[in-house]
Amino acid sequence: MTRDHFGATRMDRRTLLTASFAGSLSLLGGCHGPSRSQSPDQIALWPNTPPGGGGPGGIEQSTVTGALYNIREPRLEIFRPERPNGSAVLVAAGGGYQRIGMRREAYPAARWLTARGITAFVLVYRLPGEGWAEGPLAPLQDARRALALIRHRASAEDLDLDRVSLLGFSAGGHLMGMTATHWAGAGPFSAGPVGGRLAPLAGAALIYPVITLEKPYDRTATHRDLVGTNSDPALARLWSVQSHVTSGYPPVFLTQADNDRIANPYNAALMARTCEAIGTEVDYHRLPTGGHGFGMGEPDHVTSEWPNWYHAWLTERGMA
């Protein structure tokens, strides 16, 4: 596959607005970690207009809590460790497919990974409610495209393709869970070609994830933005991760709090049970408290333990 075909150029062209780049750097302000990770390379996911076209007007926006929306330029932000060990993680923050929690989830995860020698590819994906013609397929297209680009860049980034995994939070956990299925859709839900072979997956870590969109677990923003408020049950099942978990699904790490009021804790339990049923290795950790959206954990709280469990899981698989 040629470089021209991928169009994986650094986004110094007009397709990445200067305001977008400056906004991402401002989100990193005050963060500590390897110096090379403070100014990530930003790589366009698509060489031209994303599939189907459309999208929001104006410039990319950020909430006061550092969550991005009005995503016009889907991209990868690459965080490189000082001493890379050859493994890589594709990171997707959550936000109910309405925004992307960069400051709360994506950037802390990237810093945590690079501190352990792991190259982090942070995914800034299209949001289905922002006018993209592909609607709910847009984030899945972007995630699959990201895996193709990671494979394409493996030599340049000195990556071992046997050590690429996923990390997703909340709605980002749904997206990474769907991506790990390699489901490309069918009929009107076909994600289409992504311009290359996908990187193989050594595992998927899904943190307080949304897994099912089926009743009675259909009150999430993820459900509303992917299938609508009163969706056909068949459509809700189509966009539920467990519907596509089949033989060959990669090993899974899961954690979720029992008092999660956003994504019912049934989600992680369902994913664990589904993986066990097909013989996929699963490491599932229930937290007694913590609610939703605790990112890489909160100091002096039980949620601060999960990164240690995750690190052990990565280490067992030769990724850390």
Side-chain angles (χ1 to χ4, degrees), residues 97 123 125-128 135-144 175 226:
Y97 287 106
L123 178 63
Y125 52 92
R126 286 173 289 163
L127 300 172
L137 275 173
L140 182 60
Q141 288 173 337
D142 289 348
R144 288 171 56 80
L175 178 57
L226 292 182

Side-chain angles (χ1 to χ4, degrees), residues 203-234:
L206 311 178
I207 315 305
Y208 43 88
V210 176
I211 296 298
T212 184
L213 305 189
E214 295 184 285
K215 291 181 181 296
Y217 309 102
D218 57 345
R219 301 300 180 88
T220 61
T222 294
H223 181 282
R224 292 193 298 272
D225 275 78
L226 292 182
V227 301
T229 54
N230 295 303
S231 63
D232 183 321

Side-chain angles (χ1 to χ4, degrees), residues 43-81:
I43 308 298
L45 284 180
W46 306 98
N48 298 299
T49 303
I59 64 172
E60 191 169 282
Q61 302 289 325
S62 174
T63 68
V64 294
T65 58
L68 296 182
Y69 64 100
N70 215 59
I71 307 296
R72 295 188 61 192
E73 309 295 340
R75 61 191 181 274
L76 282 175
E77 298 186 359
I78 307 176
F79 291 75
R80 299 181 181 89

